[in-house]
Amino acid sequence: MSPQRRSGLGTNQEAIRRHNLGTVLRHVHGAGQTSRAELTSLMGLNRSTIAGLVSELESLGIAEHATPLEGSRQGAGRPSARVRIAREGPYVIAVDLGVDRAVVARVGLGGHVIQRAQAPVLRDGEAWQVGAAVATLIRTVIEGAPSAAPLVGIGISVPGLVRRSDGLIRLAPNLEWHDVSFGGIVLAALGLDVPVSLANDADLGALAEHTRGAGVGVDELIYVSGNVGVGAGVISGGHRLEGVGGYAGEVGHLRFNPDGRPCHCGNLGCWETEVGAFAIAEAIQCPPDKVAQLDEVLDEFDRPSTALRATGTSLGQGLASIVNMFNPQVVVLGGYFRSLYRLVGADVDAGLADRALPAPLESVRLELPGLGSDSPLHGAAEIALEPLFVDPVAALGTALVDVRARLAG
Amino acid sequence: MSPQRRSGLGTNQEAIRRHNLGTVLRHVHGAGQTSRAELTSLMGLNRSTIAGLVSELESLGIAEHATPLEGSRQGAGRPSARVRIAREGPYVIAVDLGVDRAVVARVGLGGHVIQRAQAPVLRDGEAWQVGAAVATLIRTVIEGAPSAAPLVGIGISVPGLVRRSDGLIRLAPNLEWHDVSFGGIVLAALGLDVPVSLANDADLGALAEHTRGAGVGVDELIYVSGNVGVGAGVISGGHRLEGVGGYAGEVGHLRFNPDGRPCHCGNLGCWETEVGAFAIAEAIQCPPDKVAQLDEVLDEFDRPSTALRATGTSLGQGLASIVNMFNPQVVVLGGYFRSLYRLVGADVDAGLADRALPAPLESVRLELPGLGSDSPLHGAAEIALEPLFVDPVAALGTALVDVRARLAG
DNA sequence: CGCTCCTGTCCACCCGCACAACAAATCAGT
DNA sequence: ACTGATTTGTTGTGCGGGTGGACAGGAGCG
């Protein structure tokens, strides 16, 4: 039973098959490698049913069977056949658009980054220039793909507000973009027509950490991203919190200090003016041209200054508001907050404990990203893969095979 | 496709039937009255399937068929038979525990309040005393129930933090309760054993407004409740946002003015210290013993004072943080905010527009509760009814019949 | 070398929904 | 008032999909 998050629809058995097939694939994807027996117990279905589903995945070229592991013994009984992702199976292109560089990766099911490439992005570059650069990187990583493997889609992580209905980039302050249809630009530059999904970098960080990072199995998770601006991605009930337009999680403009500095949003003392990259850069006297690499600058510190510790306290106090609002189980600190937390973790913890309500405080823990700085990239891969888990057959139907030849032509 | 919000499970056709039966009932409940043709188009199932589901509901005693309406013509073709809630069908008890009074209602499917009773609650009363009073009210409203009608459960709205795993009231500041198992107390006073669900009043307000109030069809909705303290209930993606413990939505302690007044939570200048009942009472020089009836006091004003207008601005500015965080489509102002918004709506709107980001602001609208002050009561009924929509057969299995006789015994 | 335990495969079976054909009920036009 | 078009209720048949049992395969244990 799963669900139509969209409400009110009935279910027929065709939908069952779709859902079960997708769920099997989701499990294989999540674990990278499983056994049919494990799938049976995880999904609560009959052995025969699982066998049928797995064999369908194999005939679709998505999964492969493998001989049981030699070494590991897991008790008596016939060892269960392994199920793993097919070697030449479907893949996606993940793009992490940063403020100073773009990372592009070819990612297979199971979250394997098969190949990656990156290039600097000019500050205040035009969107079409960036799109062309990204398209070149995409061509590079597709180069190595087996021609039989289908390309399912492209996922793009954007440091800004993305409208969920059509993927339009409404506002990316640090790229100075307004209302840019970046997905269309990249597709045009490539000359391809595949599904493109765009989303906010913090949302994708949350998704990735939930799937294969520090928050596996945690259905109430928040990823707070320090990435010049400050944003958050929220997973609640195991699903992304999006809001009507897709703009949910804009925590950077929480009211923090009404007497504080002016924020580019027009208000005074938003949280971002205290813990944003420019605020931190000022606190550590970092030159403005290195703000985009603030994490590396911070990593060179070994002892925090007083100003930096105050920033840590502000981070914790702001997190308290977030914890009070969402009551999460895990808060993952991404972007340069990762480096910051390593330096002034105690102050962050103290600030949080000082301002959060007892009830939500007792069940929350702060964590560093399990995927390092690659969380948004992995999240971009996840949204591009998502159609496969909803309906594998349909997703493969819209996928492109022999992409290299199409790119050449 | 439907649902398991809990992830990873497979679906079999037994689950299909459960889900479809529950979904049919949910539609009948939502509309109060429908036709089979409408159900067919809403659920996307075949006519014959709908017929089977409806007849099963009828044989369960939940639904009745009725002759098509005489007057209304809806085009050519055979008129579709009406489906409505059975007259002696299942019902629930809804309890709205306020800080100064308790309201108890017998509510049938369709959200019909069949009978209601209320009584004042002593301030700083012991939990068992309140429980006994509530039990008496429950006996009163059950008195009039047909003995054939099954009691499905009891839903209780609580002005405080409720742990979702077991319904324990962790903290109800205005009742001065800590860790009270109020559900158990009421059941013991009744001598019954039926399912009891407890939840926060704002969460239930959101649920009710989503189901049959100002937010029907709106899947991104927030109910902000002014009820001595300030809290919010969030519906996102059509589901309640709960958080791990069930404490999500504690917006009263958002940082608002760090130089402000001390809050009972230990911090300075929480939003609640600016727009909470005590702050407003002070602004309008309302005597402290009437704070619990602040809405009535406010209703007697016809022109807002300057202080009240400032409060309205603060309300709007705080809502801006909420709008930025959740990007809702509708924000419903419940509790005494209802009265306040009638007086100083323009200031609230201005405060919101001033502080919210453009993107979330353009898609949000403020509304008054469609259910007046009964939102939490209706929400309490909804959570008690919820099991019926998940699995009608199972829910009727645990329901109590002939409750009057059991109460007497 | 048994025995036991677990898993894969194959089969018949059941359950639930779809579909087609027919009947019923209403509206529109003549 | 009659006729055709339209829409819905009813019924029987068919199909898809998961279940469950019987049997075989493979491993550990004594």
Side-chain angles (χ1 to χ4, degrees):
Chain A
M1 47 191 75
S2 155
Q4 77 211 29
R5 293 267 291 183
R6 64 193 177 290
S7 57
L9 278 171
T11 308
N12 53 19
Q13 60 234 23
E14 177 190 343
I16 290 198
R17 186 66 173 184
R18 266 206 306 273
H19 170 245
N20 283 349
L21 199 59
T23 306
V24 168
L25 185 55
R26 197 185 289 274
H27 278 120
V28 180
H29 169 66
Q33 168 119 347
T34 347
S35 68
R36 288 151 76 153
E38 196 173 346
L39 289 170
T40 304
S41 75
L42 278 174
M43 294 183 56
L45 299 180
N46 194 287
R47 286 209 297 275
S48 347
T49 308
I50 295 292
L53 292 167
V54 169
S55 82
E56 183 165 352
L57 285 183
E58 288 174 359
S59 71
L60 286 170
I62 299 181
E64 290 176 344
H65 57 272
T67 53
L69 304 180
E70 299 286 325
S72 74
R73 60 189 58 181
Q74 67 274 9
R78 173 177 175 173
S80 185
R82 311 295 295 176
V83 182
R84 68 169 179 222
I85 298 299
R87 196 172 306 277
E88 302 209 345
Y91 66 93
V92 296
I93 299 296
V95 179
D96 179 9
L97 202 57
V99 294
D100 63 328
R101 90 274 172 276
V103 183
V104 171
R106 181 158 57 89
V107 183
L109 279 163
H112 303 299
V113 174
I114 307 170
Q115 197 173 348
R116 63 188 289 163
Q118 71 178 70
V121 162
L122 299 179
R123 189 145 180 91
D124 63 292
E126 295 285 327
W128 66 267
Q129 294 174 307
V130 179
V134 167
T136 305
L137 292 172
I138 291 179
R139 286 171 189 270
T140 308
V141 298
I142 284 185
E143 199 60 33
S147 58
L151 170 61
V152 175
I154 301 177
I156 306 181
S157 164
V158 178
L161 296 181
V162 179
R163 191 202 277 160
R164 79 165 163 177
S165 54
D166 56 359
L168 185 78
I169 300 179
R170 291 298 308 280
L171 175 65
N174 304 304
L175 295 168
E176 297 178 21
W177 289 0
H178 299 263
D179 293 328
V180 171
S181 174
F182 191 67
I185 291 175
V186 171
L187 282 188
L190 281 174
L192 288 182
D193 187 23
V194 284
V196 183
S197 314
L198 293 94
N200 176 267
D201 54 354
D203 286 345
L204 293 180
L207 183 60
E209 292 295 325
H210 174 64
T211 311
R212 44 182 18 96
V216 173
V218 175
D219 277 352
E220 304 286 334
L221 173 147
I222 299 183
Y223 178 94
V224 182
S225 162
N227 187 13
V228 183
V230 176
V234 180
I235 301 276
S236 175
H239 294 267
R240 285 162 61 201
L241 185 84
E242 296 187 321
V244 244
Y247 315 129
E250 274 304 308
V251 296
H253 302 281
L254 273 176
R255 185 182 174 107
F256 191 80
N257 178 9
D259 305 323
R261 282 170 287 193
C263 177
H264 64 83
C265 76
N267 294 320
L268 293 181
C270 295
W271 193 35
E272 197 168 297
T273 66
E274 306 276 336
V275 300
F278 289 102
I280 296 180
E282 193 180 316
I284 61 176
Q285 279 137 26
C286 158
D289 61 322
K290 300 195 71 177
V291 166
Q293 292 89 32
L294 187 62
D295 48 351
E296 295 164 16
V297 175
L298 283 171
D299 281 338
E300 285 165 16
F301 279 70
D302 51 334
R303 281 176 50 106
S305 62
T306 312
L308 212 49
R309 294 192 53 189
T311 304
T313 304
S314 295
L315 178 57
Q317 292 178 345
L319 289 176
S321 286
I322 295 173
V323 166
N324 289 345
M325 292 264 254
F326 292 101
N327 183 210
Q329 188 173 352
V330 168
V331 176
V332 179
L333 298 171
Y336 59 74
F337 286 154
R338 211 165 114 247
S339 309
L340 185 63
Y341 188 71
R342 287 216 191 85
L343 279 170
V344 296
D347 300 287
V348 178
D349 292 341
L352 172 63
D354 185 36
R355 291 292 201 273
L357 297 173
L361 180 64
E362 73 190 15
S363 48
V364 74
R365 61 175 198 273
L366 302 185
E367 299 242 343
L368 296 179
L371 300 170
S373 57
D374 277 347
S375 307
L377 185 70
H378 277 93
E382 290 298 323
I383 47 165
L385 287 169
E386 186 64 27
L388 275 175
F389 308 133
V390 174
D391 186 347
V393 178
L396 284 184
T398 64
L400 280 186
V401 284
D402 211 5
V403 189
R404 256 188 1 229
R406 286 171 196 265
L407 278 176
Chain B
M1 54 183 67
S2 168
Q4 66 214 28
R5 294 268 288 188
R6 64 195 177 289
S7 57
L9 278 172
T11 307
N12 54 19
Q13 61 236 20
E14 179 190 344
I16 289 198
R17 186 66 173 183
R18 266 206 306 271
H19 170 246
N20 284 349
L21 199 60
T23 305
V24 169
L25 184 54
R26 197 185 290 273
H27 278 122
V28 181
H29 168 67
Q33 167 118 345
T34 348
S35 67
R36 288 149 79 152
E38 196 173 348
L39 289 170
T40 304
S41 75
L42 279 174
M43 294 183 57
L45 298 180
N46 193 283
R47 286 210 298 272
S48 33
T49 308
I50 295 292
L53 292 166
V54 168
S55 83
E56 183 165 351
L57 284 183
E58 287 173 0
S59 71
L60 285 171
I62 299 181
E64 289 176 344
H65 57 272
T67 53
L69 303 181
E70 300 286 327
S72 76
R73 61 190 57 184
Q74 67 274 7
R78 175 175 174 173
S80 186
R82 313 294 297 175
V83 182
R84 67 170 180 221
I85 298 301
R87 196 171 306 275
E88 302 209 348
Y91 67 92
V92 297
I93 298 296
V95 179
D96 178 10
L97 201 58
V99 294
D100 64 330
R101 92 271 173 276
V103 182
V104 172
R106 180 159 58 90
V107 183
L109 278 163
H112 303 299
V113 174
I114 306 170
Q115 197 172 350
R116 63 188 290 160
Q118 72 178 69
V121 162
L122 299 179
R123 187 142 181 94
D124 63 294
E126 294 284 328
W128 67 266
Q129 295 173 306
V130 179
V134 167
T136 304
L137 292 172
I138 291 178
R139 287 171 188 270
T140 309
V141 298
I142 283 185
E143 200 59 34
S147 58
L151 171 61
V152 175
I154 301 177
I156 305 181
S157 164
V158 178
L161 297 180
V162 179
R163 191 203 274 160
R164 78 165 165 178
S165 55
D166 56 359
L168 184 78
I169 300 179
R170 292 298 308 280
L171 175 65
N174 304 305
L175 295 168
E176 295 177 22
W177 289 0
H178 297 263
D179 293 327
V180 171
S181 174
F182 192 67
I185 291 175
V186 171
L187 282 188
L190 282 173
L192 288 182
D193 186 22
V194 284
V196 182
S197 314
L198 292 93
N200 175 267
D201 53 354
D203 286 346
L204 294 180
L207 184 59
E209 292 295 324
H210 173 63
T211 310
R212 44 180 21 95
V216 174
V218 176
D219 276 353
E220 304 287 334
L221 174 147
I222 299 183
Y223 178 95
V224 181
S225 161
N227 187 12
V228 183
V230 176
V234 180
I235 302 275
S236 175
H239 294 268
R240 283 163 62 202
L241 185 85
E242 298 188 319
V244 244
Y247 314 129
E250 274 305 306
V251 296
H253 301 280
L254 272 176
R255 184 183 176 105
F256 191 81
N257 178 9
D259 304 323
R261 283 170 284 194
C263 177
H264 64 84
C265 77
N267 293 320
L268 292 181
C270 294
W271 192 36
E272 196 168 298
T273 66
E274 306 275 338
V275 300
F278 288 103
I280 295 180
E282 194 180 315
I284 61 175
Q285 280 136 25
C286 158
D289 60 323
K290 299 195 72 176
V291 166
Q293 293 88 30
L294 188 61
D295 47 352
E296 296 162 16
V297 176
L298 283 172
D299 282 337
E300 286 165 14
F301 279 71
D302 50 335
R303 280 176 52 104
S305 63
T306 313
L308 211 48
R309 293 191 53 188
T311 304
T313 305
S314 294
L315 177 57
Q317 292 178 345
L319 289 176
S321 286
I322 296 174
V323 167
N324 289 345
M325 293 264 255
F326 291 102
N327 183 208
Q329 189 173 349
V330 167
V331 175
V332 180
L333 298 172
Y336 58 76
F337 287 155
R338 212 165 112 248
S339 310
L340 185 63
Y341 188 71
R342 286 216 192 84
L343 280 170
V344 296
D347 300 287
V348 177
D349 291 341
L352 170 64
D354 186 36
R355 290 292 201 273
L357 297 173
L361 179 63
E362 72 189 17
S363 48
V364 74
R365 62 175 196 270
L366 303 186
E367 299 242 344
L368 295 179
L371 301 169
S373 58
D374 277 346
S375 307
L377 185 72
H378 277 93
E382 290 298 322
I383 50 165
L385 287 169
E386 186 63 28
L388 275 176
F389 309 133
V390 174
D391 186 348
V393 179
L396 284 184
T398 64
L400 279 186
V401 284
D402 211 4
V403 187
R404 261 193 350 235
R406 287 170 195 266
L407 277 177

